[in-house]
Amino acid sequence: MNTSSPTVHVVDDDPAVRQSLRALLKSMGRRFAGHANAEEFLKSYDPEKPGCLILDVRMPGMTGLELQKELERTGIEIPIIIVTGYGDVPTAVDALKEGAVDFLEKPFSRKALVDCIDRALAVDRRRRAIAVECGGIDARLASLTPREREIMGQLIEGHANRKIADALGLSVRTVEAHRAEVLRKMQVPSAASLVRVVLLSQREAS
Amino acid sequence: MRKAHAHEQVVQDLPRLGETTFKAIFDMAGTAIIVFDLDGRIREFNPAAERLHGCSRQDVVGKRYMGLFVPKETRNSLRSEMRKIAARDIGHDLEISIHTADGQTRIISWNGTRLRDDEGTATGMIAIGQDITARKQTELALGESERRFRDLADAAPILVWMSDIHYKCTYVNQAWLDFTGLTADALLGDAWANLIHPDDHKLRLPEYLDAIERHVEFKMDHRLRSADGTYRWIYGTSVPRTDTKGEFAGFVGCSIDITDRRRAEEKLRQTNEALEGRVVRRTAELSASVRELRSEIAERKDAASRLESVMRNSPDFIFQTDRDGRISFLNRRLHGDVDDVLNTSMYAWVEEEAHPRLDTALRRVFEEGVADRYEARVTGNGTAEKGTLFVFDISPVILDEHVQSAVVNARDIGAQEQAERRLREIESELAHALRMSTMGEMAVAIAHELHQPLAAVVNYSGACTELASAGGARGTKLLSYLDQISSQTLRAGEIIRRLRGFIEKKEPERGPLTMKSVIEQTAPLLKAEAKHHGVALEFALANDPPTVLGDRIQLQQIIVNLVKNAVEATRDNDENNRRVRIETSAPTDGSIVEVRVSDTGPGLSGEELRRAFEPFYSTKPTGMGFGLSISRSIAEAHGGSLVARDAPDEGATFCLALPTMRQETSREY
């Protein structure tokens, strides 16, 4: 297993449940980290590393939902699979409203578990890709001159060089030079990529 | 004056009338006429004068009137009067008192005039006299009467007054002045009315006015201001008075100060009232006593009839026997007639093997005078079914220090035994129903707890599948997982077994056990409940626990009930402050084992503490209020106790105390 393969975190106060999940996940070649309670997880979790969290809602001390809120508060975006006991649908609904990606009811089948984990890890991957793409966006935007920012605004709105030149009272050649400089500073290969990065970063910011 | 003037005219006209006429008048006149010379000697003396002086003319002519009739003491004053007459021409009136010749005293009113001859020379004097003795006497008498009245009135201790025809007060006596401290002027007229108490004045004025208008007698009580400013009660009467001609002349009245009398009357009235009050009270007391006596009699009758009723309706047989066991009284019919039993022997009631015991009992009762009790089965002879167990309580009836007879109370304890058994059954059923209900309430928690091992089993079996499909290179791991599957399945089975054990319907059965084992056996259920409510459950169970004799299921029921209550008590706490602790400890002497269940909940209020163990009392919205009541019954049936304690700023603690067994008999079942 290489270090970049995602880790499945399990927080459950029942050692049997924890160890059985460890056995199952390891047998499927997954990276596993078991935590007896929420505090333990918070102490050892490294947000830089990819993964997902299988979280039992009912635990002494900090409950699953409280941990979920704590993660939300501190900006940690690990995808969460909520595990509930028998007939605890209202709790599951709350968890989903709070942003959990899925929920499992104990006892759950291997397939259901694997599907949930795969979905959660896909979400994690996507988030991390966006984060990489948008990483340092503020610094990149800051390096633009006012004129370049103006031209970027026109590019995002999808205007052609000619139209931009007319709108800003510049020659097409000048606009082309600015455009090349904007794409270079924003580290994107094309205007389409520029639009995507800016929109993603705006969504992140909101 | 007019009279005197007329008389004067007559005297001046005399000479013109002529001698004859004058003589005739002189003789005929009804009034005494005497003519004197300058020396005061009598010259003429008419018949009227004769009658008046009681002597004849010839007896007096030429003699001095003074010497004949005038008492010595008045002669001087008469002389000076006579000189006044001699000095003037006009007539002069005077009154003198004389002694007549026939020895009477008369008062004469004289008019004397000097006489002159034609030349004007004084010749003497003429006096015309009238007998005014009677009038004088009347006047004198009147004055005396008036004086006597005033003296009397002033001396009288009563207030006397008089008014005129206009009803104005014209006279008040000294007593008035003394009473009011005022002068007569301040009382006369209408002024006196100001002294009447305003209330009485207003009240009685119309009556008074009516009475005086009608000139009738009037009486009234009223208050009058006295000299010291206080009002005193006055009883006044006024009557109309008439003058000598019998015409209305005003009112005369008198009043007396009745203040003291009224006070005395008031006091008398009060005394009377007090006396009457005492009489009333005494009468009431007497009638109360009578009532009490009546009710006492009624009560006694009642008590007698109650006693009779108790005797008659008692489920026991109550009878009287003599020394030989002969029955002389029986409280109720048996199967047959009471008379069939009377005079039979109570030996016939009980089976033969009990007869020696009955001998002993009768001996003790009659010879030692002490009560005795024994149990015996009956023959079925007239009483209950043959072989029924009765308890016989025999007590002596002592009269004059001798045991006169014995009273026997025979009770069918077969029925009692049965009733007690039935009660135990019902209690046991109730306890069972409550256990079922408790488990019903804990079902979600237990289901959750069951899912843990089941989830583990599914996970392990999944892992096994993965390993098996990947090829058998990892046999050790596979075996270990299968081992886990087995143990987690057992874990689930254990929970189910505890659950079944708890809700099992079983005859109560006691055996030696330890509270530690009782608690540990319920632990899976307790943990499930605690976890379900996010409560931390702590166990502090003493090692080397003492043994108690008890029913395992019933004791488990107490523990589950206490823990469940404790868990629910913490439901409003912060999630990190929901704790329940179960601890066992035994005091040093080891005779008692104590199980304490404490929580971090709000504790119990005074009322909750007091009523916690009442049936149907619950602070839980869905509680039936039976749990603690049954738990306490169970504890007490085990010879122990269950109490609640509340420490300020802490939660509640429930203490179950049970007596421990002696060491040699303790072996857990």
Side-chain angles (χ1 to χ4, degrees), chain B residues 106-131:
Chain B
R106 288 185 186 277
I107 298 164
I108 315 292
S109 169
W110 292 108
N111 182 269
T113 309
R114 70 174 175 188
L115 290 173
R116 277 190 284 194
D117 59 15
D118 296 340
E119 286 83 39
T121 309
T123 57
M125 182 175 74
I126 183 167
I128 300 166
Q130 227 170 350
D131 184 355

Side-chain angles (χ1 to χ4, degrees), chain A residues 12-14 16-17 19-21 23-24 27-28 56 58 60-61 63 66 84-86 106-110 113, chain B residues 444 447-449 451-452 454-460 462-463 465-467 474 481 484 488 491 531-534 575:
Chain A
D12 194 310
D13 66 312
D14 192 309
V17 173
Q19 281 157 21
S20 65
L21 276 173
L24 178 61
S27 73
M28 292 188 294
D56 193 292
R58 212 170 278 277
T63 65
E66 283 170 340
T84 69
Y86 163 79
K106 272 185 196 172
F108 37 79
S109 74
R110 189 161 42 119
L113 177 68
Chain B
V444 173
H448 189 94
E449 197 58 21
H451 284 138
Q452 302 284 50
L454 293 182
V457 166
V458 173
N459 292 341
Y460 279 123
T465 310
E466 288 292 333
L467 289 182
R474 294 174 180 175
Y481 293 169
Q484 284 296 324
Q488 288 304 314
R491 177 184 161 194
K531 187 177 175 193
H532 186 70
H533 289 89
E575 301 218 9

Side-chain angles (χ1 to χ4, degrees), chain B residues 172-188 191-196 224-229:
Chain B
V172 288
N173 71 344
Q174 185 61 40
W176 265 96
L177 307 183
D178 294 343
F179 183 92
T180 60
L182 300 172
T183 60
D185 289 342
L187 294 166
L188 297 181
W192 60 275
N194 295 329
L195 300 177
I196 291 179
L224 191 68
R225 198 167 70 217
S226 67
D228 61 7

